[in-house]
Amino acid sequence: MRVMRIVIVRRSRVPTLWGRNAILILVPILSIALGILACMLIFYVAGVSPWIFLNEVSAGFTSPQMVRYFFLLTALGTALAIAFRASIWNIGAEGQMILGMIGAGFIGLFVASKTIYVKPGELSIYENMPSAVVIDRSPVNPVVSILNMDPLLGQILMILVGSFFGALWALIPAFLRAYFGINEAASTLIMNYVAYHLYNHMISTIFRGLSVQAKQFFRTDILHEDLRFQPIPGYTVTYEEVVLATLFFLAGVVLLGYTSAGLRLKVMGSNPHLLRVIGINERKYILLVLLLSGFVSGAVGASIFAGITYKLETIKTVVSPPTMNLGYTAVLVVLLSLLDLRLVPVFAWIVASLFQAGVLLEIEIKRLGILWLTGASIQYLLIGTVLMIFVLTRILAEYEVRVVR
Amino acid sequence: MEILVALLGVAPALTYLYMASLGNTVVERSGILNLAIDGAFAFGSSIAYAYLVQLLNPVYSAVATMLTIAALGLLIAVATTWLPLSHGAVGLSLMLILYGLASYIGYPAALSERGSKIPAYTNDLVVNIALLATVALLALAINYIIYRTKLGATIRAVGEDPNAASILGISVLRTRILASLIGYSLIGLGSALYIFLDIRTWQEGSGVGVGWIAMSISLAGGRHPLASVLVALVFSYIIQYRYVLIGYLGVYGITVYAFNALQYVIAIVSMIIFSATPLKRIFAQPKALGKPFFREERSV
């Protein structure tokens, strides 16, 4: 008797749907569904009933907070899609965002405004001054934040300097890849850790604020109210984030679809030999692609500072940084979109909903008294399982599993 | 004499860093791009602590961690060899899952009351000498296996050109499974020792990032068991003596965070030194590293 064997063979015929590989269309949807199921199981073991789990997941899709993640992930997805199309695996959006936060923090807290100690008796003068905000009413050393420039100019500067810092940060691994051939997936990832600790170092030294809480908790002072990004009423997303994400996305579509540079980037991803043969400097494009990717990530970092946190606080554990691991989440968005930038918003919406579901789930789980399921574990498990199932099922588009004798 | 005393001081850090980097060396020599290493180390640290809380015996817990992480290696070897999958994608998605599982497993253990029953451990002279001896023996043993045995030759062959190796009758899958089992056992043991000898407790984020340091050591050491010992020594000095160094450098505004960042900066610098010098040619990376090996089934 011959033994049965499972073999994986290349498909001779590919089922099509609307002229495309049908399985390729189904795979992302299937992996999201299976990923949710797998997580449901993991949480069920931890004592969270599937009903609560599914309830929170569906709530994630309609929650107004989800909209912010949608725009942030669309921007980050654009940044990463450009890089991934050129086969440059930028896993360092986290670090680039952190540098964006540092850049925006420097402008917001020290250039566009400044914080000063005042005498307790002078507080009433500053309270009536239009450009001043009292940020610490300590009876000994009150602290006041004073605007140095037009708030709109300050906001623009924050975004620009944040983007610039992010771009510079991304240029380091770009340079290492272009001139020394160092794998950028590993170097961008390691650079994230450099960024986290550098951020902590800066905040606990030169960026440390004047207010009592800032001194006590190793953080900066709070950003002047006029410099903060304004949320759209009813949502948490800010006007600035909507504008930035839309601009970046459109610019990305134009770059990849309608410019010669975009074409070369795509060729670099699919056939780098051709690029070398026709005499194009590959190094230049490696630098360009990471520069753009870091620029956008830096802007997202700036908007996290000016739109969510308003202050920079030391990171206690590297698994839950202020960037909320969105840099890794965006990798999932781009891979699910099959590196097609036009699909990024669709999957940014789905993943943003799951991300928000994770946030809601954490609150619900805390309410149930399960203290040991933390936000980090919920997010990593959700992103990781969907990604893993996607990676595994993705091969079904080209291969099939057969049982032979 | 002073150098010897200092060497004893860094023995714990040297041991866990070197073991994990040696694990990476064996795995990558067989052609598997090992991007799951940091996830494996973080997960290993958490499950080592969880085992310790349950078993209350460091030796049993270390063995259990080794077996668990070796099973993970088996999974990676099979997925990247038997299926036409990207090593990078498998490694990174696994890394995220493992970060999540590390918190999932570690927290209940950290909150458990049994934590107080863990036997006290003092870092004494005998232990440190034993650790240094282990490092030396491991370095020689793995070096012997890689360069002097048939298994080592097949591992290197599979890492350089799996197709040619396969035609010559070597089972690529079996070789990579063996390499991953050895490599991931070492990574698992390293992560257990990291918990037992160095930080002695678990909190969220423990072990995250250490895997990358180990990978950098292996890369900067040219994936050579003996050369990596020297690189591992440099890193263990930085890690062990950062608090001492801060005593001197603190007045210049250097914080512990700056030292934490420094480890990773040195990791990157060591990669640059490796890539920009003739070392790159002498210790060339396996040619098939990270390339999916998938033999089409032609008989059906």
Side-chain angles (χ1 to χ4, degrees), chain A residues 8 10 42 193 201 374 391, chain B residues 83 99 104 107 204 208 253 255:
Chain A
I8 293 156
R10 197 174 278 276
I42 295 172
Y193 293 94
H201 172 71
T374 61
V391 169
Chain B
L83 297 172
Y99 281 169
Y104 186 88
Y107 248 103
E204 189 154 53
V208 174
T255 60

Side-chain angles (χ1 to χ4, degrees), chain B residues 33-54:
Chain B
L33 182 65
N34 197 17
L35 287 186
I37 182 172
D38 197 50
F41 198 94
F43 178 64
S45 310
S46 117
I47 205 153
Y49 190 73
Y51 281 136
L52 185 62
V53 166
Q54 285 305 315

Side-chain angles (χ1 to χ4, degrees), chain A residues 5 8-10 42 176 180 189 191 193-194 197 200-201 204 319 372 374 377 380 384 388 391 395 399 404, chain B residues 83-85 94 96-97 99-100 103-104 107-108 204 208 212 253 255 257 260 264 268 276 280 294 296-297 300:
Chain A
R5 282 196 309 143
I8 293 156
V9 288
R10 197 174 278 276
I42 295 172
L176 297 182
F180 299 112
L189 251 167
M191 297 275 296
Y193 293 94
V194 181
H197 295 296
N200 274 353
H201 172 71
S204 53
V319 291
W372 51 273
T374 61
S377 68
Y380 281 124
M388 182 53 110
V391 169
I395 54 171
Y399 298 88
V404 292
Chain B
L83 297 172
L85 291 175
L94 207 56
L96 295 172
I97 295 178
Y99 281 169
S103 295
Y104 186 88
Y107 248 103
E204 189 154 53
V208 174
W212 294 124
T255 60
Y257 303 120
N260 287 338
Y264 298 100
I268 289 174
K280 189 179 184 179
F294 180 67
E296 295 272 333
E297 198 73 41
V300 278

Side-chain angles (χ1 to χ4, degrees), chain A residues 5-10 41-46 91 172 176 180-183 185-187 189-191 193-194 197-198 200-201 204-205 218 314-320 328 331 335 371-378 380-381 383-385 387-388 391-392 395 399 402 404, chain B residues 33 35 38 75 79 82-86 89-101 103-105 107-108 111 203-205 208-209 212-213 215-216 219 253-258 260-262 264-265 267-268 271-273 275-276 280 294-300:
Chain A
R5 282 196 309 143
I6 299 170
V7 293
I8 293 156
V9 288
R10 197 174 278 276
L41 221 83
I42 295 172
F43 284 97
Y44 177 66
V45 175
I91 320 291
I172 302 171
L176 297 182
F180 299 112
I182 293 173
N183 181 333
S187 64
L189 251 167
I190 294 177
M191 297 275 296
Y193 293 94
V194 181
H197 295 296
L198 179 74
N200 274 353
H201 172 71
S204 53
T205 53
F218 288 81
T314 44
I315 302 167
K316 292 199 178 56
T317 111
V318 289
V319 291
S320 42
Y328 300 128
V331 173
L335 289 183
L371 296 171
W372 51 273
L373 263 181
T374 61
S377 68
I378 294 169
Y380 281 124
L381 283 173
I383 306 167
T385 38
L387 196 57
M388 182 53 110
V391 169
L392 288 175
I395 54 171
Y399 298 88
R402 276 201 220 160
V404 292
Chain B
L33 182 65
L35 287 186
D38 197 50
L75 206 79
W82 191 57
L83 297 172
L85 291 175
S86 142
V90 172
L92 289 176
S93 48
L94 207 56
M95 175 190 91
L96 295 172
I97 295 178
L98 290 170
Y99 281 169
L101 282 180
S103 295
Y104 186 88
I105 305 257
Y107 248 103
L111 294 175
Q203 58 184 22
E204 189 154 53
V208 174
W212 294 124
I213 302 276
M215 188 189 216
S216 315
L219 255 65
I254 305 289
T255 60
V256 69
Y257 303 120
N260 287 338
L262 186 71
Y264 298 100
V265 173
I268 289 174
M271 281 190 208
I272 299 172
I273 294 172
S275 304
K280 189 179 184 179
F294 180 67
R295 226 163 28 133
E296 295 272 333
E297 198 73 41
R298 290 192 185 84
S299 55
V300 278

Side-chain angles (χ1 to χ4, degrees), chain B residues 44-288:
Chain B
S45 310
S46 117
I47 205 153
Y49 190 73
Y51 281 136
L52 185 62
V53 166
Q54 285 305 315
L55 304 172
L56 297 175
N57 181 320
V59 178
Y60 295 161
S61 312
V63 172
T65 311
M66 258 174 91
L67 294 177
T68 313
I69 303 298
L72 196 71
L74 176 77
L75 206 79
I76 294 169
V78 172
T80 51
T81 314
W82 191 57
L83 297 172
L85 291 175
S86 142
H87 295 198
V90 172
L92 289 176
S93 48
L94 207 56
M95 175 190 91
L96 295 172
I97 295 178
L98 290 170
Y99 281 169
L101 282 180
S103 295
Y104 186 88
I105 305 257
Y107 248 103
L111 294 175
S112 159
E113 284 166 10
R114 287 173 66 89
S116 57
K117 291 188 198 149
I118 293 174
Y121 156 79
T122 43
N123 200 352
D124 65 7
L125 191 68
V126 181
V127 173
N128 284 343
I129 291 173
L131 288 176
L132 287 179
T134 313
V135 166
L137 280 178
L138 257 181
L140 292 172
I142 298 287
N143 193 56
Y144 182 80
I145 290 176
I146 289 184
Y147 293 105
R148 293 273 183 275
T149 63
K150 197 177 158 196
L151 173 65
T154 49
I155 288 178
R156 282 183 292 140
V158 163
E160 292 296 331
D161 192 340
N163 290 305
S166 169
I167 288 164
L168 290 173
I170 295 171
S171 163
V172 177
L173 183 63
R174 196 181 304 146
T175 310
R176 286 193 172 165
I177 286 176
L178 267 175
S180 294
L181 284 178
I182 298 172
Y184 271 81
S185 306
L186 286 168
I187 294 170
L189 186 57
S191 63
L193 292 181
Y194 168 70
I195 291 291
F196 301 161
L197 301 176
D198 195 5
I199 62 169
R200 321 225 175 137
T201 176
W202 182 91
Q203 58 184 22
E204 189 154 53
S206 286
V208 174
V210 182
W212 294 124
I213 302 276
M215 188 189 216
S216 315
I217 291 171
S218 166
L219 255 65
R223 297 186 185 80
H224 191 289
L226 300 182
S228 309
V229 178
L230 292 176
V231 190
L233 252 179
V234 174
F235 276 94
S236 40
Y237 270 102
I238 297 168
I239 289 172
Q240 200 69 38
Y241 288 111
R242 61 188 154 173
Y243 291 103
V244 180
L245 285 169
I246 286 165
Y248 294 112
L249 297 171
V251 284
Y252 302 109
I254 305 289
T255 60
V256 69
Y257 303 120
F259 268 94
N260 287 338
L262 186 71
Q263 299 170 40
Y264 298 100
V265 173
I266 293 177
I268 289 174
V269 169
S270 57
M271 281 190 208
I272 299 172
I273 294 172
F274 176 74
S275 304
T277 56
L279 285 173
K280 189 179 184 179
R281 259 185 304 113
I282 300 166
F283 298 115
Q285 73 168 29
K287 278 206 190 72

